[in-house]
Amino acid sequence: MNSKDAYAPRAPTAPTLAERHASEVAAGWDRLDSGRKLLAQHKARELDETEARSLAQMRAETERSLANQTVALRDAERAAELAAIERRNADMEAAREARNRQAQDIMACDAANARKHADRHAEVTALEKKNATEQALETRQARLMAEREARAAHADSRRAGISAAWATLRAASPIKAGIVALVLGCAAGFVIAEFNGATLEWSKATDVEPHLKLDTELSAFSLKR
């Protein structure tokens, strides 16, 4: 063998079993690394999706909670407004009732004052009527007394005239004097009896009527009081 043959390139030979095994092992590690990478990417994607779903669910729950709170707040505000309206209506009704009670109290006080004034006026009127009745009774009694005295004086005057006439007749003839005396006696007796009867009846009527009227007025006055 010469030197040229020693440096000549060798022809490619078939790979050995060890080389094939090494290449297969290297390929397996490459596939394992690729699978690990794909699994890591898949897990990361699933984690991102889970986190996104969780965030979306949390956002939806938060929005629902806020919406419910908003509705509850609106309902509470509406309930507060209704309560305020009812309270204002109740206050207005209470104020109206208070004004009505005050007006009724004023009317009752005015009625009581008017009743007291009417009672006082009735008492004064009854007292004045009583005084007037007593004064009228005294006046009637005084007038009756004066009329009685005047009638008594008139009767005395007539009796004196009759006595004078009788004395004059006694000086005349006895028969004529007797006749005239009889006539005059009958006439005088009739006039005096009629006069005394009418005077007695009129006196009783005038005495009883004022007393009955006075008793009636005093009874009415005591009933009023």
Side-chain angles (χ1 to χ4, degrees):
M1 174 184 295
N2 53 18
S3 59
K4 292 182 181 180
D5 293 332
Y7 291 101
R10 294 178 180 180
T13 60
T16 62
L17 181 61
E19 292 176 352
R20 288 200 301 272
H21 180 69
S23 62
E24 289 177 0
V25 169
W29 280 109
D30 291 336
R31 287 195 300 273
L32 182 60
D33 292 335
S34 298
R36 287 177 179 176
K37 291 179 181 179
L38 291 174
L39 181 60
Q41 292 177 358
H42 182 67
K43 288 182 177 180
R45 187 166 54 252
E46 287 183 354
L47 182 61
D48 293 338
E49 292 177 355
T50 302
E51 186 177 359
R53 284 196 300 270
S54 298
L55 290 174
Q57 186 176 1
M58 290 175 63
R59 187 180 298 109
E61 292 179 354
T62 302
E63 291 177 354
R64 283 195 299 272
S65 178
L66 290 175
N68 293 331
Q69 291 179 1
T70 303
V71 173
L73 181 61
R74 189 181 302 113
D75 293 338
E77 291 176 352
R78 188 178 298 108
E81 291 177 357
L82 293 176
I85 292 173
E86 292 179 356
R87 186 167 57 252
R88 185 166 56 252
N89 293 333
D91 293 339
M92 293 175 63
E93 184 67 21
R96 183 163 52 251
E97 291 180 356
R99 288 194 298 271
N100 292 333
R101 284 196 301 271
Q102 185 178 4
Q104 291 175 0
D105 293 339
I106 293 173
M107 292 175 63
C109 184
D110 293 339
N113 292 329
R115 187 166 56 251
K116 289 180 180 179
H117 182 71
D119 293 339
R120 192 178 298 110
H121 182 69
E123 292 177 359
V124 173
T125 302
L127 184 59
E128 291 178 353
K129 189 179 295 183
K130 177 184 175 183
N131 295 332
T133 303
E134 292 177 353
Q135 186 176 1
L137 180 60
E138 292 176 357
T139 302
R140 288 180 182 178
Q141 290 177 352
R143 186 170 64 250
L144 177 61
M145 187 63 67
E147 290 178 355
R148 286 178 181 175
E149 292 177 354
R151 284 185 174 85
H154 182 68
D156 293 338
S157 177
R158 291 186 65 179
R159 281 195 295 270
I162 292 172
S163 298
W166 176 253
T168 302
L169 290 174
R170 288 181 63 182
S173 62
I175 298 172
K176 186 177 180 180
I179 294 171
V180 173
L182 180 62
V183 173
L184 290 176
C186 291
F190 178 76
V191 171
I192 291 172
E194 185 178 358
F195 172 74
N196 289 333
T199 303
L200 181 60
E201 291 179 359
W202 183 81
S203 175
K204 289 182 179 180
T206 53
D207 286 343
V208 171
E209 182 180 359
H211 283 290
L212 290 177
K213 187 175 181 182
L214 180 60
D215 293 339
T216 303
E217 291 177 352
L218 290 177
S219 299
F221 176 70
S222 61
L223 288 176
K224 288 182 180 179
R225 297 190 64 180

